[in-house]
C-alpha cells in the first residue's frame, strides 16, 4: 500500500474535510479525493461518509485508522534508521549495554565523530536479546555485549575482560542489608552464585549498572561494579574497595555481521579494538 494514501487518509481525519486536508498536505482537493478512492478500492470498503459538514469516518474507517497510523510510523522509522541523512556519506547503528557505554564506549563514540565526521551514527542502549535480534535483522551494524549467542553470519570477537570488584560506600557493611545486586547477565549470576552459595537474596536488585551505582552514591550500600567505573570514585573517597573480596571476570564481546560494508564498519571496529587495548593496559 502506498504510504501517501495512508497519510492522506490521516490528514482527512485530522482536518475533518477533504478541502482542509488538501491545504494541509499541499495538494489539490481532487488529488485527495482520488487517493481516498484508491484506498477504498484497495480495501474494498468505504472509509468516509461525505456530507456538507465535511467527512465522517465509517466503522471500517475507524478500524483502519490505527493500521494507517502504524503504517506511516513504521515507514518513517525505517527511513530514519536505514536512510543516510543529508550531508553524510554513510550511516551506522551501534548498540551496547548501558554499563559498557558508561566510561568506555562513549570515548569510542567521540573518536568516531572526530575521525569520521561524514558518517552519521545512531547509538542505542539495549540488553543482549534486543542487541542480538537487531544484528540478525540487519538493523544494528555493531554491538558490544557480555553474553552473545553464536549465530550464522555473525562475527564474534573477544574485546576485553571486565573486572567486577566489590565496593561499598563509607560506613556500609559489604554484602549486608544494603547490598545492591546488579544483574550483569547470566555469566555473572553463575559466578556470583558459586562464590556465595548461601546468599539468601539481595534486598535490592537492578538490571542497569548505572542505576545501582547512583543508588550507592546517594543512599549507601555495596555492590559489584566494573573496576573502570569505580576506580575514580575510589580515588575520590566516595566509595571504598572491599579488601579480600572475590573479583569476577566478565568478558565483553564485539559482534557484527560477517557481511558488512567493510570500508565503513572496519575502521570503526579498529578504533574500538584500540580503545579496548588501552583499557586493558590501564587495568
Amino acid at each position: 500500500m502506498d504510504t501517501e494514501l495512508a497519510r492522506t487518509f490521516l490528514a482527512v481525519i485530522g482536518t475533518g474535510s477533504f478541502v482542509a486536508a488538501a491545504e494541509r498536505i499541499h495538494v489539490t482537493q481532487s488529488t485527495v479525493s482520488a487517493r481516498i478512492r484508491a484506498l477504498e478500492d484497495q480495501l474494498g470498503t468505504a472509509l468516509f461518509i461525505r456530507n456538507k459538514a465535511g467527512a465522517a469516518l465509517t466503522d471500517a474507517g475507524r478500524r483502519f485508522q490505527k493500521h494507517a497510523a502504524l503504517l506511516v510510523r513504521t515507514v518513517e522509522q525505517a527511513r530514519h534508521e536505514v536512510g543516510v541523512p543529508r550531508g553524510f556519506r554513510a550511516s551506522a547503528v551501534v548498540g551496547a549495554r548501558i554499563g559498557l557505554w558508561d566510561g568506555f564506549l562513549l570515548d569510542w563514540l567521540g573518536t568516531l565523530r572526530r575521525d569520521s565526521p561524514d558518517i552519521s551514527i545512531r547509538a542505542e542502549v539495549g540488553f543482549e536479546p534486543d542487541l542480538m535480534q537487531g544484528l540478525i535483522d540487519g538493523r544494528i551494524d555493531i554491538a558490544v555485549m557480555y553474553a552473545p549467542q553464536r549465530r550464522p553470519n555473525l562475527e564474534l570477537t573477544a574485546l576485553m575482560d571486565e573486572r567486577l570488584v566489590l565496593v561499598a560506600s563509607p560506613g556500609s557493611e559489604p554484602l549486608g542489608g544494603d547490598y545492591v545486586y546488579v544483574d550483569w547477565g547470566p555469566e555473572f549470576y553463575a559466578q556470583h552464585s558459586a562464590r556465595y552459595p548461601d546468599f539468601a537474596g539481595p534486598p535490592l536488585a537492578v538490571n542497569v549498572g548505572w542505576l545501582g551505582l547512583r543508588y550507592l552514591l546517594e543512599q549507601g550500600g555495596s555492590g559489584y561494579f566494573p573496576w573502570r567505573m569505580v576506580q575514580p570514585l575510589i580515588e575520590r573517597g566516595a566509595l571504598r574497595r572491599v579488601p579480600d573480596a572475590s573479583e569476577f571476570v566478565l568478558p565483553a564481546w564485539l559482534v557484527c555481521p560477517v557481511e558488512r560494508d567493510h570500508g565503513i564498519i572496519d575502521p570503526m571496529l579498529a578504533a574500538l579494538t584500540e580503545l579496548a587495548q588501552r583499557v586493558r593496559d590501564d587495568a
Side-chain angles (χ1 to χ4, degrees), residues 35-105:
R35 289 178 180 177
I36 296 301
R37 281 197 301 271
L39 185 57
E40 290 175 330
D41 288 343
Q42 289 185 25
L43 295 174
T45 185
L47 299 175
F48 291 103
I49 298 173
R50 287 78 160 175
N51 52 47
K52 293 182 180 180
L57 282 171
T58 63
D59 289 340
R62 279 188 289 272
R63 291 195 296 271
F64 177 67
Q65 182 176 359
K66 63 179 180 180
H67 298 291
L70 178 60
L71 175 63
V72 172
R73 285 198 304 270
T74 301
V75 172
E76 285 297 326
Q77 183 177 358
R79 182 178 294 117
H80 176 74
E81 294 180 355
V82 176
V84 178
R86 182 177 302 174
F88 296 90
R89 67 184 176 93
S91 63
V93 178
V94 298
R97 271 180 169 255
I98 190 171
L100 286 162
W101 281 113
D102 191 10
F104 175 45
L105 293 180

Side-chain angles (χ1 to χ4, degrees), residues 162-166 191 195-196 224 227 241 244-249:
E162 290 271 40
R163 291 172 52 212
L164 299 180
V165 299
L166 182 62
Q191 295 183 55
R195 176 60 184 85
Y196 303 110
Y224 274 94
W227 171 249
R241 183 174 178 180
D244 302 323
S246 296
E247 287 188 10
F248 299 125
V249 175

